[in-house]
Amino acid sequence: MKTKGSPKPADSELAEVIAYHEGDMQAAISTLLDDVRHLRQQLAFAERAMSRGMTRGWRPSYDRD
């Protein structure tokens, strides 16, 4: 049984994204997908710039486990 309380942070973030796009769900999803692509590219750049010794063999994961 779920208790009613304050909204989860993810719920308020979702509401903010939708409000920013004036209720246009496709525009909101498109923007979020563009952000994901950009962040993956930035992660790839960072991975290339880091030395193995700096990260002790750790490599970033591009997908959730």
Side-chain angles (χ1 to χ4, degrees), residues 10-65:
D11 291 342
S12 63
E13 286 179 325
L14 179 61
E16 286 179 31
V17 169
I18 294 168
Y20 178 83
H21 292 284
E22 299 175 352
D24 185 348
M25 297 297 280
Q26 287 185 333
I29 292 169
S30 177
T31 298
L32 293 172
L33 289 174
D34 287 343
D35 288 347
V36 167
R37 282 185 211 98
H38 172 74
L39 291 172
R40 283 177 177 255
Q41 183 182 37
Q42 294 298 304
L43 185 58
F45 289 151
E47 180 183 18
R48 285 185 218 128
M50 291 186 302
S51 70
R52 286 234 180 249
M54 179 178 160
T55 61
R56 300 187 186 268
W58 175 84
R59 293 180 58 104
S61 174
Y62 292 88
D63 296 311
R64 289 189 215 177
D65 294 330

